[in-house]
Each structure stands twice: as structure tokens, then as C-alpha cells.
Amino acid sequence: MIDELHSPSTINYKVNEANTNIGQFVLVYNKSKQLFTLHIRIASDFVSKNNRKSVILSLGFQQSHGCDFFGGAECFYTHFFAVAQRGYGNENWFDREVDYAHAMFKKFTEDFGAICDHVIALYNLVPPRPMRIPAFTYSFEIDPELLKSKVSMPTWIEKVAPEVQIDLKNDILSKIEKLKNEYVSFAALLFQSGSELELSVKKFFEFLGMKVVLAEKSFPVDMFAESDAVRFAIEVTGTNGNINNKDRKVGQAITYCGEKKEDEKVILVANTFRDQPISERSKESFTKEAVKILTPTPFNVCLVTAANLYNFWKDIIEGRKSKTDIINMLRETSGVLEYRT
């Protein structure tokens, strides 16, 4: 089956496709990585409804602004199925792997709209958290009774409810709101990029007790954080790899270093390897060449991962560090801020 996958001259193969009322789906096989990738070009009216773009990204998809399989148009893509490293004891093991990938592709394209709608329904029941496609079975089903439980009661019901029940309800709602406002915002430091990551970084420095102002779009840094003791100029980026010396953000940090005030400390916050679990991320978030450029005087840039900002937040709320400790670490570090909880 699919003998052309064994051709030595090509790496990526389009091996299946489907068109639905939601959009176009393409299944791609990467020979060098032995990995199937799913690419989707989704109809704009489907994406815009109920903020489905955020749902799609939360499922582990990334957004491409130029997809080879859709003539350079935008798409969402994700790793879909990795081929087993060992055979099944017979010469047809690879064909069986391919058959399985095709079966999953068919089921997923049929269920994709329902999956998105189910996730939206769940988001209305509990605070959202990062999810990925492997968390779902492809016969995706939710007990309809669960969704029915979100029935709005008449307002007069509370007038006859026991006071202890009203207090319990208010306590639960308060904790859910706190969870949304605190944990969910800081958890975004681990997987977000773009404006969502910037807002999470802003929230972190506000959590430290600093006054934070977003910079104009034309500025080489994204925001300024200030307290009585220090002023930070902060550049933020999210990437699926690491930061090297040719990265645009390195250039922007250098540019601002030539403009900064004497009392300012420049910080580059990078959410590196953001599509991977923390335990699987490379330890080299900033290449040696990038560090060599940004560390010397007069730059003295502090290089810190967004994951470490998350760790700082955890250590503060759990009593292992103080806010002053973290501010001092950021102010005094030139180069990579190494941190282990």
C-alpha cells in the first residue's frame, strides 16, 4: 500500500484528503520523521462562530500563514499519528500503520465540528485548560445528561433555598472565577504566543506588584514594568524552537538597548518549544550565539523562559520565594536566568 511513500526523493506526501462543509482536510506523511500530520483549511464562518479559533488552538493545532498543501493559504496543522518504530512481526506492518492513520483521519474529519462544539459546551461548564487531540477518542461522545445539567434555574428558586446552600454555591462560583482569573492566565505562559502570551506576561509582572504599560506597536519592546526599585523593558516571543542569534527578537532587544534609559533593565521573555510538554523541552532555550550577543555590557539583557515565569509564580504562591526575590533575580541577571524549582 502507498508504495510511493518509499520513494527516496520526497519527504512529505499528501496521502489523503477530505472536503466537508467545515473546510478542507489533508493528511500528510513525513517520511524522515515517520509521522502523519493533519492540515486543515477551515471556512471563515465556522472559525469565527463561538470563538472556535481558540478552541482549535487549544486542541494542539498551530496556525500556518502559508501552507504548501493549500497553495500558500493559511491553515491549522498538528502532529496526528506517529508510525510505530517496530513492525508487527510480518512484512505488512507498515501497511497496517497506514490503514490505521487513514481510519483515524476519516473519523476525525467526520467528527471535527462536533468535537469543537462539545469543547465549547465544556468550556461553559468548567474553566478551560490546554487540551490536545490525543485527549479525545475519535468516537467522541459526551453524556447528554452532563450538558443538560447546565439548565438555568428561575431566579425565585434562591429565595426558598437553605442559606447554607446559597453560601456553598457562592463559594464555588467565587473559586471558579478565581481559577479563571489566576491559574488559567498564568498557565498560558506555558503554551501561548502572540498577544495572548503578552497579556499573560503583563499579568505576571502585575502580580509582582509592578505597574505595567504596553508599548506602542512601533517600539522594539512590548511593554514596560516599573516599581519604586526598578524599571524593566520587556520583549516577549513564543516559538516552537529556541532563540538563536538571527531571531528578530534578538535584533529588537539590541535596538532597544541603544535607546534605553540608564535605570532600565531589558528582559527577553521567550516561550520556547511551546508545543511540547515541559518535561520534553530542550534545555537550550537560547543558543550560545544569542547569549554571547545579548549578555555583554552595555546590553546586559536578562534571558528568561516563559515557563520560568510560571515557576516563579508557583513558588511565590506556595511560599518558597517572595516577589522581591524574583524582581531582584530578573534585575541582576545578565544572560540566561537559570532556575529550578
Side-chain angles (χ1 to χ4, degrees), residues 105-153:
F105 175 77
K106 181 176 186 297
K107 183 63 175 172
F108 185 78
T109 56
E110 292 172 351
D111 291 353
F112 183 71
I115 289 173
C116 289
D117 290 340
H118 282 316
V119 173
I120 290 168
L122 285 174
Y123 276 10
N124 291 330
L125 290 173
V126 296
R129 56 176 295 178
M131 286 183 275
R132 292 187 179 275
I133 286 176
F136 296 91
T137 61
Y138 291 99
S139 58
F140 189 92
E141 293 182 2
I142 291 181
D143 184 350
E145 295 302 315
L146 175 63
L147 300 181
K148 288 179 183 178
S149 67
K150 192 176 177 290
V151 175
S152 298
M153 292 188 294

Side-chain angles (χ1 to χ4, degrees), residues 48-100:
S48 60
K49 185 179 179 182
N50 292 327
N51 195 26
R52 284 195 179 104
K53 179 178 178 180
S54 294
V55 171
I56 294 166
L57 294 174
S58 78
L59 291 172
F61 281 87
Q62 298 174 52
Q63 193 167 11
S64 168
H65 297 291
C67 179
D68 293 340
F69 300 99
F70 293 116
E74 289 187 351
C75 85
F76 295 93
Y77 68 95
T78 190
H79 294 171
F80 190 64
F81 173 67
V83 174
Q85 297 301 305
R86 288 192 292 246
Y88 294 101
N90 63 68
E91 60 184 12
N92 298 320
W93 72 270
F94 182 75
D95 288 348
R96 294 177 64 177
E97 292 285 277
V98 172
D99 286 342
Y100 184 55

Side-chain angles (χ1 to χ4, degrees), residues 224-276:
F224 299 95
E226 189 172 4
S227 69
D228 293 337
V230 67
R231 176 178 166 88
F232 295 141
I234 305 161
E235 176 64 1
V236 180
T237 185
T239 175
N240 295 330
N242 59 10
I243 302 297
N244 61 51
N245 59 309
K246 297 180 181 180
D247 195 287
R248 179 171 59 90
K249 298 293 183 176
V250 172
Q252 289 179 213
I254 292 173
T255 298
Y256 188 76
C257 284
E259 306 172 3
K260 70 174 183 175
K261 300 175 183 177
E262 287 188 13
D263 62 343
E264 282 184 326
K265 175 73 175 184
V266 178
I267 300 175
L268 175 56
V269 177
N271 189 15
T272 52
F273 306 102
R274 68 182 186 87
D275 61 338
Q276 300 176 27

Side-chain angles (χ1 to χ4, degrees), residues 96-310:
R96 294 177 64 177
E97 292 285 277
V98 172
D99 286 342
Y100 184 55
H102 282 298
M104 286 204 304
F105 175 77
K106 181 176 186 297
K107 183 63 175 172
F108 185 78
T109 56
E110 292 172 351
D111 291 353
F112 183 71
I115 289 173
C116 289
D117 290 340
H118 282 316
V119 173
I120 290 168
L122 285 174
Y123 276 10
N124 291 330
L125 290 173
V126 296
R129 56 176 295 178
M131 286 183 275
R132 292 187 179 275
I133 286 176
F136 296 91
T137 61
Y138 291 99
S139 58
F140 189 92
E141 293 182 2
I142 291 181
D143 184 350
E145 295 302 315
L146 175 63
L147 300 181
K148 288 179 183 178
S149 67
K150 192 176 177 290
V151 175
S152 298
M153 292 188 294
T155 55
W156 57 262
I157 290 291
E158 287 197 3
K159 295 180 180 179
V160 296
E163 187 173 335
V164 65
Q165 294 297 312
I166 295 175
D167 290 344
L168 178 61
K169 186 202 79 169
N170 291 337
D171 182 51
I172 291 172
L173 292 176
S174 175
K175 288 177 179 177
I176 289 175
E177 190 63 26
K178 183 177 181 181
L179 185 64
K180 287 181 180 179
N181 291 335
E182 295 185 10
Y183 172 67
V184 174
S185 295
F186 290 109
L189 291 167
L190 301 177
F191 67 97
Q192 283 287 16
S193 64
S195 58
E196 291 86 357
L197 179 62
E198 289 176 18
L199 291 175
S200 294
V201 172
K202 178 177 181 287
K203 190 174 182 67
F204 170 78
F205 282 94
E206 289 173 338
F207 169 75
L208 293 181
M210 306 184 76
K211 179 181 178 181
V212 183
V213 178
L214 295 177
E216 297 291 333
K217 292 296 183 182
S218 59
F219 267 63
V221 294
D222 293 311
M223 66 190 72
F224 299 95
E226 189 172 4
S227 69
D228 293 337
V230 67
R231 176 178 166 88
F232 295 141
I234 305 161
E235 176 64 1
V236 180
T237 185
T239 175
N240 295 330
N242 59 10
I243 302 297
N244 61 51
N245 59 309
K246 297 180 181 180
D247 195 287
R248 179 171 59 90
K249 298 293 183 176
V250 172
Q252 289 179 213
I254 292 173
T255 298
Y256 188 76
C257 284
E259 306 172 3
K260 70 174 183 175
K261 300 175 183 177
E262 287 188 13
D263 62 343
E264 282 184 326
K265 175 73 175 184
V266 178
I267 300 175
L268 175 56
V269 177
N271 189 15
T272 52
F273 306 102
R274 68 182 186 87
D275 61 338
Q276 300 176 27
I278 296 296
S279 60
E280 298 176 14
R281 296 184 185 185
S282 168
K283 293 181 180 179
E284 190 181 68
S285 289
F286 305 91
T287 65
K288 294 179 177 64
E289 293 79 9
V291 175
K292 187 176 180 179
I293 291 172
L294 293 171
T295 299
T297 303
F299 303 138
N300 298 320
V301 176
C302 173
L303 308 172
V304 62
T305 63
N308 269 342
L309 297 192
Y310 178 81

